[in-house]
Amino acid sequence: MVAPTGITAGLINLLEVFIIAASVGIFVAKVGRFPYTIALLLAGLAVSILGINIDITLTHDLILLVLLPPLLFEGAATTDLDSFRENLVPVLVLAVPGLIVSILVLGVLGHYAFGYPLLLATLFAAMILPTDPVSVLALFEELGAPERLSVLVEGESLLNDGVGVVVFSALFALISQTPPNTDLSELISPEVIAETGLEIVVASLGGLLVGLAAGYLIYRVMVNLDEHMTEIVLTLILAYGSFLLAEHYFHVSGVIATVTAGLLIGNRGAEYAMSPQTKISVFNTWDTAAFLVNTLIFVLIGAKTPIHQMVDNWQLIAIAIVLAIFVRALTVYPFTAAVNRFSRRDIPFSYQHVMVWGGLHASIPIALVLGLPGDFPNISELRSMVFGVAAFSLVVQGLTMSNLLDRLDIVTRTETEELYELLLGRARAVDSALDAAERLHDRGDLPTDVYEDFRGEYRHEKEDLNTAISRLLRENPELRREELLVGERRVLKQEKSAIMDATHSGVISDDIGERLLEEVDLKLDRVDTGRSTVRDDPENEAYEEFWRARVAEYGLDFSPSDD
């Protein structure tokens, strides 16, 4: 029998991967609470140990160009933009200066610990330290981590690997041009620091602009289109197109471009450019795509781990693991403390502990080390250390994350919150069904008698849902208060947008617009510190708007007339 070749062989290898994944899925379903992605990695490691060959080469380009863009896009598209904005300062501080400082510190420590030249040790630091969005997104989604904690960890991971890749590229170029034992003063000269800093700024801002431009272009097309299958294709073009456009044509950060495009389409696009049917189709498609890509990448990382090389270099791997965690802690705690001094919402110590332990390293470091040429100095040791740190990060840190959340008393989701989400989700579905039935009736596609039956049934269910939601909120004041603050924040931002539109269109003058915007910002400040401007009693307002004082000064009586 002739051995299969070409596409047939590739399909057989893919089938082998998904057979492993299906077996892992069945195991996880039977065992219970066990992270699926980590189970996939362990299965892949077992394949590697047993010497079973999966003939799919795990390469730099396969990870960065094929597997990473859909995972970044899906992760960004499902991130709430309001929450991301609220936590943007700590995310940026950790993702940019925090990462750069940690790379420099690990470079110096690694110079002495590994015996490598300083530049080579710093290159290893740039490879291993960026936290991995693929791993973090998968794990936190499975554990159901609190929203703010998820945004902090996921937001940092979505941004800092873009910075890490730029730093890595700059260091790789330096190694190629610099003798191995170059003096430290030459390596950290003002010229080198300025050049590297400029590269990071240009790559990051360039990626942001490319993502915004590509995302807005697709958004404008989707606004005037109501064809959910075509819109799925458009989002696919956007995910890969923004990445390739940024990386290969503008030579800026493709990661940041894809994340920016995903945030735009997943938030503004979902709100203004997608019908209910399109939202369901688009997000279900991307959820499935992310699941399949995660399946492939975690099995392959495990299966392609160089076990024998890792055994030979176990001492270097152990040192690298300790140093990576130590430097991560050395960065997170002081930088977060600095942010807390100037922030209205502190990041609690419990969250900081999770941010240290939850800084997982896997696909991005592996992609970078696989991109090094075969004759690169200490290439075998570098690959062993990267795969070793990645394996420890995913298996040990990943498996203990749930226990850490429990020990720190970080509640993922209470039974009350799950019930509230269930009721809220069903209420939205009922509202959508009523709207759809009305549209069908207005077009003549639904007979009046049938429409009345639909409307009666769904309105009765909506009344029951509203009653259940109201009672649940009354019996759980903390939940009600949190929902009040979340809702108030969204309403105030809509107020702000309306005032800005009125100012730009000339409906109100600039000075009046600035005064109104200032008042909305004051309200937002109160909400961010946990103080609502809304009270149960409308006659007893928690915040008196300045227009009331101006009306009183003018002498205008606006009280209800008895007539």
Side-chain angles (χ1 to χ4, degrees), residues 23-35 39:
S23 303
V24 169
I26 294 169
F27 168 77
V28 170
K30 296 292 184 183
V31 169
R33 191 176 179 181
F34 192 93

Side-chain angles (χ1 to χ4, degrees), residues 126-287:
M127 279 192 293
I128 203 63
L129 285 177
T131 53
D132 183 8
V134 176
S135 312
V136 174
L137 288 168
L139 182 63
F140 270 59
E141 185 175 345
E142 289 181 41
L143 295 178
E147 182 185 11
R148 190 181 183 216
L149 178 59
S150 295
V151 169
L152 287 168
V153 178
E154 293 172 10
E156 180 196 358
S157 69
L158 285 169
L159 295 181
N160 73 359
D161 55 302
V163 177
V165 170
V166 175
V167 175
F168 170 84
S169 301
L171 290 171
F172 180 75
L174 275 176
I175 287 179
S176 304
Q177 302 164 6
T178 307
N181 295 314
T182 303
D183 188 74
L184 180 63
S185 61
E186 295 182 29
L187 294 179
I188 58 172
S189 65
E191 293 80 8
V192 172
I193 294 173
E195 184 179 345
T196 304
L198 183 61
E199 284 185 26
I200 293 171
V201 171
V202 170
S204 301
L205 290 180
L208 176 67
L209 292 175
V210 170
L212 283 174
Y216 184 74
L217 177 64
I218 296 297
Y219 165 76
R220 292 307 308 170
V221 175
M222 292 174 67
V223 164
N224 300 306
L225 184 68
D226 188 14
E227 172 51 54
H228 65 276
M229 299 303 290
T230 303
E231 291 179 74
I232 291 172
V233 175
L234 287 172
T235 59
L236 180 67
I237 293 170
L238 179 60
Y240 282 102
S242 58
F243 191 93
L244 293 172
L245 193 65
E247 286 284 342
H248 293 279
Y249 291 94
F250 292 99
H251 305 291
V252 293
S253 175
V255 171
I256 294 176
T258 303
V259 168
T260 303
L263 283 169
L264 178 61
I265 289 298
N267 289 271
R268 188 174 181 84
E271 186 173 357
Y272 298 109
M274 296 185 195
S275 66
Q277 174 65 47
T278 300
K279 285 182 190 178
I280 293 170
S281 299
V282 167
F283 284 102
N284 282 350
T285 298
W286 280 105
D287 187 51

Side-chain angles (χ1 to χ4, degrees), residues 97-111:
L99 177 64
I100 293 171
V101 169
S102 64
I103 288 173
L104 295 175
V105 171
L106 182 54
V108 173
L109 294 176
H111 170 58

